[in-house]
Amino acid sequence: MPCRRASAQSQFASGAGNVRSFGVQYALLAKLNRLSMTESLRALSPLDGRYAEKTAALRPFLSEWALMKYRLTVELRWLIALSEEEGVAHVRQFTAAENSWLSSLCTDFDDCAARRVKAIEARTKHDVKAIEYYIRERLRDGSLRDVEASAHFACTSDDINNLAYAMMIRDAIRRIWQPAAHAVLARIAVLARETAGTPMLARTHGQAATPTTLGKELAVFWHRLNRQLKQIEAQAYLGKFNGATGAYNAHRVAYPDVDWRDLSRRFVGGLGLTFNPLTTQIEPHDYLAELAHALMRFNTILLDFCRDVWTYISLGLFRQGAAANDIGSSTMPHKVNPIDFENAEANLGISRSGLAHLADKLPVSRMQRDLSDSSAMRNYGVAIAHSYLALLSVERGLEKLSVDHAALAAELDDAWEVLAEAIQTVLRKQGYADAYERLKTLTRGRQVTPEGLREFIAGLDLPSADKARLMELTPATYLGYAEELALDALESE
């Protein structure tokens, strides 16, 4: 028998009236979804093992339990749509109470209901058919027993699956992944603003180069990530509902006077999806490839960010705070390792590789369909989860960072050779044909001191204004528009 009371998890997943903050949502879901230690240790994937609590927020959207719930939602919404369509004579119009009861089958979907679906699937060996049979079982219990045969009417499995997956992935991205991404970008933005004018030695090819500011370099990453995030937020989630080979064949035979194309368009749009009017048996998954590519680009940029921050930590430009009980090394007590950025790098790599395969595989199907997309689709959530784990790690790592201003200043004070670019550019302005060569001889492979550089400048035949400007220049003031560029970018949003 189905359970009477909805679990807290299923009530949360329904999303009705939920106004909790992202942080509170995460804490609640982590508590609701916590696995026992034994289950965690026996899990094949670290997503449901070591990282079970961290990935808990995604389970109401990307688990097999969630897939059942979303499939059930599509099936029941379709049954209600049929009852409201005047031309579909064999499905009577439902009462308000009956519509409410059908909706409750979705909102009250719980572990007991999921176990019943799995028991039916064990007999049918078909997961979508198991949902249909589960619905028919429930319809027999009450006033809707007369429409039992109309469950899954004129549907093929992918009519249900493509809409369920589209809503699952949409909700996981919008409700869980995007807030986590915004949290990371917000931390980067705060740090970039605070350090917009903080001079820093740049390194091109790993060598001392024209100075920048720490905030400007952080703002570059913020700007890149924000651009990709906007594309992810604008992603359309497509859906189709057109039968076994995409032409409404059975629909038109059963009810030739019903405008099935219009009904399908309204039904898909009513689920908050973009209608795809022309498909084979399956929705071709092109939008899922687009989303995968956008997530891959975001992951790639974030991985680049993690490696740069890791390098700045290794150079001593960033310091990391650590809780009293944290251990960095099992043998070297002094160490505070940048593990958050290292963990993020690993998970971003796994996510990227999974998304790359899905982007290549999902849009390809033999003839009107083959089943290989079905197994592949079950791993889309895995790729999202690894990216989400990385976001949590990066946010945690950023919380620990503090800027070592003395180390930044010391690096600049030891790199007076970077002013060679400025000097030779002024010499070129004044017509020195050998400007580059003269500065190359002065600075390459030699220790450059402020005294030596100023002595060189003093001996140049330059207008007094140019000479004075060069004499006052230091590595810490040779910053161009770095601060303004950082602040302008951050304030543009």
Side-chain angles (χ1 to χ4, degrees):
M1 292 293 293
C3 296
R4 294 181 180 178
R5 178 179 295 178
S7 67
Q9 184 189 70
S10 66
Q11 290 172 356
F12 180 90
S14 70
N18 193 303
V19 294
R20 291 186 176 90
S21 69
F22 172 69
V24 174
Q25 289 179 13
Y26 176 81
L28 173 62
L29 285 165
K31 182 177 180 181
L32 290 172
N33 290 282
R34 186 175 293 116
L35 296 176
S36 73
M37 179 62 73
T38 301
E39 290 173 321
S40 176
L41 291 175
R42 292 181 182 273
L44 287 177
S45 168
L47 294 176
D48 293 313
R50 185 176 185 86
Y51 305 127
E53 290 190 23
K54 295 176 182 177
T55 58
L58 291 170
R59 289 199 194 102
F61 306 102
L62 298 176
S63 62
E64 186 172 5
W65 182 95
L67 178 56
M68 293 179 187
K69 180 182 173 71
Y70 278 88
R71 282 169 169 164
L72 182 65
T73 299
V74 175
E75 292 274 15
L76 294 176
R77 290 280 293 270
W78 177 239
L79 185 59
I80 292 172
L82 291 173
S83 78
E84 295 171 347
E85 188 68 24
E86 290 185 3
V88 181
H90 76 285
V91 184
R92 64 174 173 80
Q93 188 167 7
F94 302 152
T95 67
E98 287 170 334
N99 280 331
S100 178
W101 180 79
L102 287 172
S103 297
S104 74
L105 294 182
C106 299
T107 56
D108 294 351
F109 187 80
D110 57 14
D111 292 346
C112 185
R115 285 194 294 271
R116 180 57 190 153
V117 173
K118 290 301 289 185
I120 297 170
E121 183 185 344
R123 183 179 76 250
T124 63
K125 302 297 188 291
H126 197 288
D127 49 1
V128 176
K129 204 67 177 175
I131 294 289
E132 176 193 341
Y133 287 172
Y134 171 77
I135 293 171
R136 295 180 68 159
E137 279 186 356
R138 299 305 304 271
L139 292 177
R140 291 178 202 137
D141 292 340
S143 65
L144 290 170
R145 63 178 65 88
D146 59 308
V147 297
E148 176 194 335
S150 296
H152 201 71
F153 179 77
C155 296
T156 191
S157 293
D158 200 63
D159 285 335
I160 309 304
N161 276 339
N162 88 95
L163 300 181
Y165 272 116
M167 291 191 292
M168 289 168 63
I169 293 170
R170 176 199 64 195
D171 292 350
I173 291 292
R174 290 181 179 175
R175 297 191 195 183
I176 306 299
W177 187 93
Q178 284 177 196
H182 277 289
V184 167
L185 263 68
R187 286 198 176 274
I188 296 173
V190 167
L191 189 56
R193 285 190 184 94
E194 291 174 349
T195 59
T198 302
M200 181 178 77
L201 182 67
R203 286 178 170 81
T204 58
H205 305 277
Q207 308 300 307
T210 300
T212 180
T213 69
L214 178 56
K216 182 261 184 180
E217 299 312 308
L218 293 172
V220 167
F221 280 110
W222 178 89
H223 181 70
R224 295 172 66 195
L225 289 166
N226 190 53
R227 182 169 174 271
Q228 298 306 318
L229 182 55
K230 285 182 177 179
Q231 294 181 50
I232 292 167
E233 290 175 330
Q235 176 66 52
Y237 294 82
L238 273 61
K240 74 100 186 180
F241 209 80
N242 51 19
T245 55
Y248 306 94
N249 304 57
H251 308 63
R252 198 167 187 181
V253 169
Y255 288 104
D257 295 328
V258 171
D259 188 343
W260 290 103
R261 289 183 293 177
D262 180 65
L263 176 56
S264 178
R265 180 181 292 104
R266 286 186 281 114
F267 178 65
V268 172
L271 297 174
L273 303 173
T274 300
F275 179 64
N276 188 340
L278 191 60
T279 75
T280 61
Q281 183 180 100
I282 64 171
E283 202 291 319
H285 309 316
D286 297 337
Y287 82 91
L288 288 172
E290 295 165 6
L291 176 61
H293 282 133
L295 289 168
M296 285 168 63
R297 291 193 299 274
F298 185 95
N299 287 348
T300 297
I301 296 166
L302 190 58
L303 189 151
D304 191 24
F305 173 80
C306 288
R307 288 180 176 173
D308 273 15
V309 172
W310 186 97
T311 303
Y312 295 145
I313 292 170
S314 73
L315 293 170
L317 308 181
F318 278 130
R319 301 295 179 185
Q320 298 179 100
N325 292 327
D326 286 357
I327 293 174
S329 166
S330 64
T331 188
M332 293 174 279
H334 69 283
K335 295 191 71 179
V336 181
N337 294 331
I339 58 172
D340 296 305
F341 299 102
E342 293 169 341
N343 286 342
E345 184 177 340
N347 279 297
L348 290 167
I350 294 169
S351 178
R352 284 196 310 170
S353 62
L355 291 166
H357 171 72
L358 291 166
D360 286 345
K361 192 275 154 293
L362 288 176
V364 179
S365 183
R366 297 173 185 85
M367 302 299 185
Q368 281 65 55
R369 95 145 307 169
D370 67 64
L371 199 63
S372 59
D373 68 318
S374 178
S375 296
M377 278 296 298
R378 292 179 184 273
N379 289 280
Y380 211 108
V382 173
I384 293 172
H386 280 289
S387 179
Y388 175 69
L389 270 176
L391 288 169
L392 297 182
S393 293
V394 172
E395 185 181 13
R396 188 167 54 250
L398 289 170
E399 289 176 2
K400 301 176 183 177
L401 291 184
S402 61
V403 179
D404 192 324
H405 293 275
L408 286 164
E411 278 204 332
L412 285 166
D413 199 45
D414 195 39
W416 281 77
E417 67 271 16
V418 297
L419 299 183
E421 179 197 33
I423 298 168
Q424 64 100 10
T425 302
V426 172
L427 292 180
R428 284 172 180 264
K429 183 184 78 167
Q430 296 301 330
Y432 280 74
D434 62 345
Y436 180 89
E437 287 71 20
R438 292 182 68 171
L439 271 298
K440 175 181 172 183
T441 300
L442 176 69
T443 61
R444 183 178 289 189
R446 297 185 180 186
Q447 179 67 38
V448 178
T449 65
E451 296 79 14
L453 205 59
R454 286 169 180 150
E455 182 181 347
F456 176 81
I457 296 169
L460 295 172
D461 182 16
L462 291 174
S464 58
D466 283 343
K467 184 174 288 190
R469 192 159 48 250
L470 290 177
M471 292 291 278
E472 293 172 1
L473 196 61
T474 71
T477 61
Y478 181 38
L479 300 176
Y481 292 108
E483 181 176 4
E484 294 89 339
L485 288 168
L487 293 175
D488 286 350
L490 294 166
E491 297 305 322
S492 66
E493 291 299 317

